Amino acid sequence: MYKAQNPDEVICEFKDSLTAFNGVKAASESGKGELNCAITTLIFEALQKEGIPTHLIKQIDNTKLLVKKVDIIPIEVVLRNIAAGSLSKRLGLKEGKKLPFTIIEFYYKNDELNDPLINDDHAMILNLVDNRKELDILREYGRKINEFLTGFFDKIGLILVDFKVEFGKDKNGNIILADEITPDSCRLWDKKTGKKMDKDLFRFDLGDIKEAYSEILERLKEAK
């Protein structure tokens, strides 16, 4: 993140770095930052058209976005449509099992604590939000984003398994979508082949992550 000329704005740069398992596994993939910058731009622009407020102002160059300055709410909002990842491990659900309804989870953004799963009471005790209504807003936006993205990705032949979003408060105290939405923060499976098209390729050494991300970007461009 860098300062911009306007004090109410910042410049967000996407890096080529890759991390998994809370930084235990790390690497770099040339060009990944450029791909994720373009993917986030397309997705955020689509969400804004659907009435979801985001911090995106415009894409500056291949790896940088100009965004509204926000105070990040230290809660990762995770939405799960299909059992995978930590949900499968915690509950013993078979990976790939379609859930009867979307699960919304909150995680405390704290690297030292490995981003633990929390509930509403935890969020209030930790003063992560000002009141419980803000937690309801996070859930409401999460559901709206999930509803749109599920259909959005379906049109380009991808299944949205789960994803993580983060929110912040702008200068007026409004809660808006921030951070990014990329294959780093989503699980995406190809509808026809079932192939993983996200960071799990890096996590578990399953294939070429840059090839998958490039394929997603091309599909998004065609659907635009």
mmCIF file of all heavy atoms in Angstrom, residues 88-117:
data_model
loop_
_atom_site.group_PDB
_atom_site.id
_atom_site.type_symbol
_atom_site.label_atom_id
_atom_site.label_comp_id
_atom_site.label_asym_id
_atom_site.label_seq_id
_atom_site.Cartn_x
_atom_site.Cartn_y
_atom_site.Cartn_z
ATOM 1 N N SER A 88 -13.826 -29.128 5.735
ATOM 2 C CA SER A 88 -13.795 -30.589 5.627
ATOM 3 C C SER A 88 -12.982 -31.202 6.763
ATOM 4 O O SER A 88 -13.372 -32.217 7.346
ATOM 5 C CB SER A 88 -13.205 -31.008 4.279
ATOM 6 O OG SER A 88 -14.064 -30.643 3.217
ATOM 7 N N LYS A 89 -11.859 -30.576 7.095
ATOM 8 C CA LYS A 89 -11.001 -31.096 8.158
ATOM 9 C C LYS A 89 -11.669 -30.990 9.527
ATOM 10 O O LYS A 89 -11.629 -31.919 10.322
ATOM 11 C CB LYS A 89 -9.675 -30.335 8.175
ATOM 12 C CG LYS A 89 -8.796 -30.598 6.960
ATOM 13 C CD LYS A 89 -7.510 -29.791 7.040
ATOM 14 C CE LYS A 89 -6.638 -30.031 5.822
ATOM 15 N NZ LYS A 89 -5.398 -29.218 5.853
ATOM 16 N N ARG A 90 -12.309 -29.841 9.789
ATOM 17 C CA ARG A 90 -12.910 -29.619 11.106
ATOM 18 C C ARG A 90 -14.119 -30.498 11.351
ATOM 19 O O ARG A 90 -14.318 -31.020 12.449
ATOM 20 C CB ARG A 90 -13.344 -28.148 11.262
ATOM 21 C CG ARG A 90 -12.230 -27.154 11.392
ATOM 22 C CD ARG A 90 -12.731 -25.838 12.011
ATOM 23 N NE ARG A 90 -14.003 -25.397 11.460
ATOM 24 C CZ ARG A 90 -14.138 -24.573 10.433
ATOM 25 N NH1 ARG A 90 -13.066 -24.129 9.807
ATOM 26 N NH2 ARG A 90 -15.326 -24.197 10.011
ATOM 27 N N LEU A 91 -14.956 -30.660 10.316
ATOM 28 C CA LEU A 91 -16.235 -31.345 10.501
ATOM 29 C C LEU A 91 -16.285 -32.741 9.892
ATOM 30 O O LEU A 91 -17.293 -33.429 10.005
ATOM 31 C CB LEU A 91 -17.363 -30.490 9.909
ATOM 32 C CG LEU A 91 -17.499 -29.060 10.460
ATOM 33 C CD1 LEU A 91 -18.703 -28.369 9.849
ATOM 34 C CD2 LEU A 91 -17.587 -29.064 11.980
ATOM 35 N N GLY A 92 -15.208 -33.147 9.229
ATOM 36 C CA GLY A 92 -15.180 -34.473 8.630
ATOM 37 C C GLY A 92 -16.078 -34.606 7.418
ATOM 38 O O GLY A 92 -16.498 -35.710 7.071
ATOM 39 N N LEU A 93 -16.364 -33.484 6.768
ATOM 40 C CA LEU A 93 -17.196 -33.508 5.568
ATOM 41 C C LEU A 93 -16.341 -33.832 4.357
ATOM 42 O O LEU A 93 -15.243 -33.305 4.196
ATOM 43 C CB LEU A 93 -17.881 -32.157 5.373
ATOM 44 C CG LEU A 93 -18.869 -31.724 6.459
ATOM 45 C CD1 LEU A 93 -19.327 -30.295 6.204
ATOM 46 C CD2 LEU A 93 -20.058 -32.672 6.503
ATOM 47 N N LYS A 94 -16.852 -34.689 3.499
ATOM 48 C CA LYS A 94 -16.103 -35.066 2.302
ATOM 49 C C LYS A 94 -15.958 -33.873 1.379
ATOM 50 O O LYS A 94 -16.920 -33.157 1.110
ATOM 51 C CB LYS A 94 -16.824 -36.202 1.568
ATOM 52 C CG LYS A 94 -16.074 -36.721 0.345
ATOM 53 C CD LYS A 94 -16.830 -37.855 -0.307
ATOM 54 C CE LYS A 94 -16.085 -38.350 -1.548
ATOM 55 N NZ LYS A 94 -16.815 -39.454 -2.233
ATOM 56 N N GLU A 95 -14.734 -33.659 0.896
ATOM 57 C CA GLU A 95 -14.510 -32.554 -0.042
ATOM 58 C C GLU A 95 -15.385 -32.733 -1.279
ATOM 59 O O GLU A 95 -15.467 -33.821 -1.839
ATOM 60 C CB GLU A 95 -13.038 -32.482 -0.462
ATOM 61 C CG GLU A 95 -12.765 -31.326 -1.417
ATOM 62 C CD GLU A 95 -11.304 -31.161 -1.773
ATOM 63 O OE1 GLU A 95 -10.558 -30.552 -0.999
ATOM 64 O OE2 GLU A 95 -10.904 -31.673 -2.838
ATOM 65 N N GLY A 96 -16.033 -31.659 -1.675
ATOM 66 C CA GLY A 96 -16.900 -31.704 -2.842
ATOM 67 C C GLY A 96 -18.366 -31.854 -2.499
ATOM 68 O O GLY A 96 -19.225 -31.734 -3.384
ATOM 69 N N LYS A 97 -18.681 -32.104 -1.210
ATOM 70 C CA LYS A 97 -20.081 -32.248 -0.800
ATOM 71 C C LYS A 97 -20.773 -30.892 -0.877
ATOM 72 O O LYS A 97 -20.338 -29.921 -0.242
ATOM 73 C CB LYS A 97 -20.164 -32.779 0.638
ATOM 74 C CG LYS A 97 -21.591 -32.860 1.195
ATOM 75 C CD LYS A 97 -21.597 -33.353 2.622
ATOM 76 C CE LYS A 97 -22.988 -33.284 3.243
ATOM 77 N NZ LYS A 97 -23.965 -34.099 2.512
ATOM 78 N N LYS A 98 -21.832 -30.797 -1.647
ATOM 79 C CA LYS A 98 -22.589 -29.547 -1.754
ATOM 80 C C LYS A 98 -23.346 -29.316 -0.456
ATOM 81 O O LYS A 98 -24.073 -30.192 0.026
ATOM 82 C CB LYS A 98 -23.562 -29.595 -2.935
ATOM 83 C CG LYS A 98 -24.319 -28.299 -3.147
ATOM 84 C CD LYS A 98 -25.153 -28.339 -4.419
ATOM 85 C CE LYS A 98 -26.011 -27.090 -4.567
ATOM 86 N NZ LYS A 98 -25.211 -25.850 -4.572
ATOM 87 N N LEU A 99 -23.182 -28.158 0.118
ATOM 88 C CA LEU A 99 -23.829 -27.850 1.384
ATOM 89 C C LEU A 99 -25.294 -27.494 1.159
ATOM 90 O O LEU A 99 -25.639 -26.881 0.144
ATOM 91 C CB LEU A 99 -23.095 -26.689 2.062
ATOM 92 C CG LEU A 99 -21.605 -26.938 2.339
ATOM 93 C CD1 LEU A 99 -20.943 -25.667 2.858
ATOM 94 C CD2 LEU A 99 -21.420 -28.085 3.324
ATOM 95 N N PRO A 100 -26.183 -27.855 2.093
ATOM 96 C CA PRO A 100 -27.613 -27.564 1.912
ATOM 97 C C PRO A 100 -27.919 -26.071 1.938
ATOM 98 O O PRO A 100 -28.966 -25.637 1.452
ATOM 99 C CB PRO A 100 -28.274 -28.290 3.095
ATOM 100 C CG PRO A 100 -27.185 -28.429 4.114
ATOM 101 C CD PRO A 100 -25.919 -28.604 3.334
ATOM 102 N N PHE A 101 -27.025 -25.304 2.505
ATOM 103 C CA PHE A 101 -27.139 -23.843 2.494
ATOM 104 C C PHE A 101 -25.735 -23.273 2.668
ATOM 105 O O PHE A 101 -24.817 -23.958 3.125
ATOM 106 C CB PHE A 101 -28.078 -23.330 3.596
ATOM 107 C CG PHE A 101 -27.734 -23.828 4.973
ATOM 108 C CD1 PHE A 101 -26.783 -23.180 5.750
ATOM 109 C CD2 PHE A 101 -28.345 -24.957 5.485
ATOM 110 C CE1 PHE A 101 -26.462 -23.648 7.014
ATOM 111 C CE2 PHE A 101 -28.036 -25.435 6.746
ATOM 112 C CZ PHE A 101 -27.085 -24.777 7.525
ATOM 113 N N THR A 102 -25.567 -22.025 2.286
ATOM 114 C CA THR A 102 -24.256 -21.384 2.382
ATOM 115 C C THR A 102 -23.905 -21.104 3.835
ATOM 116 O O THR A 102 -24.718 -20.562 4.589
ATOM 117 C CB THR A 102 -24.246 -20.064 1.591
ATOM 118 O OG1 THR A 102 -24.523 -20.347 0.216
ATOM 119 C CG2 THR A 102 -22.890 -19.373 1.702
ATOM 120 N N ILE A 103 -22.704 -21.486 4.217
ATOM 121 C CA ILE A 103 -22.200 -21.226 5.563
ATOM 122 C C ILE A 103 -21.391 -19.930 5.539
ATOM 123 O O ILE A 103 -20.565 -19.716 4.656
ATOM 124 C CB ILE A 103 -21.313 -22.383 6.057
ATOM 125 C CG1 ILE A 103 -22.150 -23.662 6.223
ATOM 126 C CG2 ILE A 103 -20.621 -22.021 7.373
ATOM 127 C CD1 ILE A 103 -21.337 -24.878 6.586
ATOM 128 N N ILE A 104 -21.634 -19.070 6.522
ATOM 129 C CA ILE A 104 -20.853 -17.844 6.678
ATOM 130 C C ILE A 104 -20.047 -17.957 7.966
ATOM 131 O O ILE A 104 -20.604 -18.227 9.036
ATOM 132 C CB ILE A 104 -21.749 -16.603 6.726
ATOM 133 C CG1 ILE A 104 -22.625 -16.510 5.474
ATOM 134 C CG2 ILE A 104 -20.889 -15.339 6.872
ATOM 135 C CD1 ILE A 104 -23.575 -15.325 5.476
ATOM 136 N N GLU A 105 -18.746 -17.736 7.857
ATOM 137 C CA GLU A 105 -17.859 -17.831 9.014
ATOM 138 C C GLU A 105 -17.065 -16.540 9.166
ATOM 139 O O GLU A 105 -16.739 -15.876 8.177
ATOM 140 C CB GLU A 105 -16.876 -19.000 8.851
ATOM 141 C CG GLU A 105 -17.541 -20.359 8.779
ATOM 142 C CD GLU A 105 -16.548 -21.467 8.484
ATOM 143 O OE1 GLU A 105 -15.481 -21.188 7.882
ATOM 144 O OE2 GLU A 105 -16.831 -22.619 8.850
ATOM 145 N N PHE A 106 -16.732 -16.213 10.413
ATOM 146 C CA PHE A 106 -15.866 -15.077 10.711
ATOM 147 C C PHE A 106 -14.541 -15.602 11.258
ATOM 148 O O PHE A 106 -14.518 -16.516 12.092
ATOM 149 C CB PHE A 106 -16.496 -14.154 11.761
ATOM 150 C CG PHE A 106 -17.703 -13.396 11.287
ATOM 151 C CD1 PHE A 106 -18.639 -12.936 12.206
ATOM 152 C CD2 PHE A 106 -17.909 -13.111 9.950
ATOM 153 C CE1 PHE A 106 -19.755 -12.215 11.797
ATOM 154 C CE2 PHE A 106 -19.020 -12.395 9.519
ATOM 155 C CZ PHE A 106 -19.944 -11.951 10.451
ATOM 156 N N TYR A 107 -13.457 -15.003 10.793
ATOM 157 C CA TYR A 107 -12.131 -15.332 11.308
ATOM 158 C C TYR A 107 -11.453 -14.036 11.755
ATOM 159 O O TYR A 107 -11.517 -13.015 11.055
ATOM 160 C CB TYR A 107 -11.268 -16.008 10.232
ATOM 161 C CG TYR A 107 -11.731 -17.393 9.874
ATOM 162 C CD1 TYR A 107 -12.783 -17.579 8.972
ATOM 163 C CD2 TYR A 107 -11.145 -18.527 10.435
ATOM 164 C CE1 TYR A 107 -13.222 -18.856 8.639
ATOM 165 C CE2 TYR A 107 -11.581 -19.807 10.104
ATOM 166 C CZ TYR A 107 -12.620 -19.962 9.209
ATOM 167 O OH TYR A 107 -13.060 -21.223 8.875
ATOM 168 N N TYR A 108 -10.808 -14.082 12.897
ATOM 169 C CA TYR A 108 -10.095 -12.927 13.438
ATOM 170 C C TYR A 108 -8.779 -12.752 12.688
ATOM 171 O O TYR A 108 -7.937 -13.647 12.685
ATOM 172 C CB TYR A 108 -9.850 -13.159 14.930
ATOM 173 C CG TYR A 108 -9.069 -12.096 15.655
ATOM 174 C CD1 TYR A 108 -9.030 -10.772 15.216
ATOM 175 C CD2 TYR A 108 -8.367 -12.423 16.818
ATOM 176 C CE1 TYR A 108 -8.313 -9.805 15.907
ATOM 177 C CE2 TYR A 108 -7.649 -11.466 17.514
ATOM 178 C CZ TYR A 108 -7.620 -10.162 17.053
ATOM 179 O OH TYR A 108 -6.900 -9.213 17.725
ATOM 180 N N LYS A 109 -8.601 -11.595 12.045
ATOM 181 C CA LYS A 109 -7.378 -11.323 11.293
ATOM 182 C C LYS A 109 -6.223 -11.056 12.273
ATOM 183 O O LYS A 109 -6.014 -9.930 12.706
ATOM 184 C CB LYS A 109 -7.556 -10.125 10.362
ATOM 185 C CG LYS A 109 -8.195 -10.445 9.035
ATOM 186 C CD LYS A 109 -8.357 -9.197 8.171
ATOM 187 C CE LYS A 109 -7.043 -8.493 7.890
ATOM 188 N NZ LYS A 109 -6.141 -9.324 7.053
ATOM 189 N N ASN A 110 -5.506 -12.113 12.596
ATOM 190 C CA ASN A 110 -4.391 -11.994 13.532
ATOM 191 C C ASN A 110 -3.400 -13.108 13.230
ATOM 192 O O ASN A 110 -3.638 -14.277 13.554
ATOM 193 C CB ASN A 110 -4.902 -12.089 14.977
ATOM 194 C CG ASN A 110 -3.813 -11.810 16.000
ATOM 195 O OD1 ASN A 110 -2.739 -12.409 15.960
ATOM 196 N ND2 ASN A 110 -4.095 -10.915 16.927
ATOM 197 N N ASP A 111 -2.292 -12.752 12.579
ATOM 198 C CA ASP A 111 -1.313 -13.753 12.163
ATOM 199 C C ASP A 111 -0.718 -14.509 13.342
ATOM 200 O O ASP A 111 -0.461 -15.716 13.254
ATOM 201 C CB ASP A 111 -0.175 -13.095 11.371
ATOM 202 C CG ASP A 111 -0.627 -12.596 10.005
ATOM 203 O OD1 ASP A 111 -1.667 -13.102 9.516
ATOM 204 O OD2 ASP A 111 0.038 -11.722 9.435
ATOM 205 N N GLU A 112 -0.491 -13.818 14.453
ATOM 206 C CA GLU A 112 0.106 -14.470 15.627
ATOM 207 C C GLU A 112 -0.788 -15.572 16.179
ATOM 208 O O GLU A 112 -0.299 -16.553 16.744
ATOM 209 C CB GLU A 112 0.401 -13.434 16.716
ATOM 210 C CG GLU A 112 1.495 -12.436 16.344
ATOM 211 C CD GLU A 112 1.768 -11.447 17.468
ATOM 212 O OE1 GLU A 112 1.117 -11.568 18.524
ATOM 213 O OE2 GLU A 112 2.629 -10.565 17.278
ATOM 214 N N LEU A 113 -2.099 -15.409 15.993
ATOM 215 C CA LEU A 113 -3.054 -16.415 16.478
ATOM 216 C C LEU A 113 -3.526 -17.345 15.360
ATOM 217 O O LEU A 113 -4.424 -18.160 15.563
ATOM 218 C CB LEU A 113 -4.266 -15.720 17.107
ATOM 219 C CG LEU A 113 -3.985 -14.823 18.318
ATOM 220 C CD1 LEU A 113 -5.260 -14.132 18.768
ATOM 221 C CD2 LEU A 113 -3.384 -15.628 19.464
ATOM 222 N N ASN A 114 -2.916 -17.210 14.170
ATOM 223 C CA ASN A 114 -3.282 -18.036 13.010
ATOM 224 C C ASN A 114 -4.734 -17.837 12.584
ATOM 225 O O ASN A 114 -5.415 -18.798 12.206
ATOM 226 C CB ASN A 114 -3.005 -19.521 13.289
ATOM 227 C CG ASN A 114 -1.523 -19.816 13.426
ATOM 228 O OD1 ASN A 114 -0.711 -19.291 12.671
ATOM 229 N ND2 ASN A 114 -1.174 -20.638 14.396
ATOM 230 N N ASP A 115 -5.214 -16.594 12.653
ATOM 231 C CA ASP A 115 -6.548 -16.233 12.152
ATOM 232 C C ASP A 115 -7.643 -17.189 12.644
ATOM 233 O O ASP A 115 -8.270 -17.890 11.849
ATOM 234 C CB ASP A 115 -6.542 -16.212 10.619
ATOM 235 C CG ASP A 115 -5.525 -15.229 10.053
ATOM 236 O OD1 ASP A 115 -5.186 -14.260 10.743
ATOM 237 O OD2 ASP A 115 -5.067 -15.453 8.924
ATOM 238 N N PRO A 116 -7.898 -17.206 13.956
ATOM 239 C CA PRO A 116 -8.856 -18.181 14.495
ATOM 240 C C PRO A 116 -10.305 -17.903 14.099
ATOM 241 O O PRO A 116 -10.698 -16.756 13.878
ATOM 242 C CB PRO A 116 -8.682 -18.034 16.018
ATOM 243 C CG PRO A 116 -8.232 -16.618 16.197
ATOM 244 C CD PRO A 116 -7.337 -16.342 15.015
ATOM 245 N N LEU A 117 -11.085 -18.972 14.024
ATOM 246 C CA LEU A 117 -12.523 -18.888 13.805
ATOM 247 C C LEU A 117 -13.159 -18.264 15.039
ATOM 248 O O LEU A 117 -12.861 -18.660 16.177
ATOM 249 C CB LEU A 117 -13.079 -20.296 13.568
ATOM 250 C CG LEU A 117 -14.588 -20.455 13.377
ATOM 251 C CD1 LEU A 117 -15.032 -19.815 12.075
ATOM 252 C CD2 LEU A 117 -14.953 -21.946 13.379
#
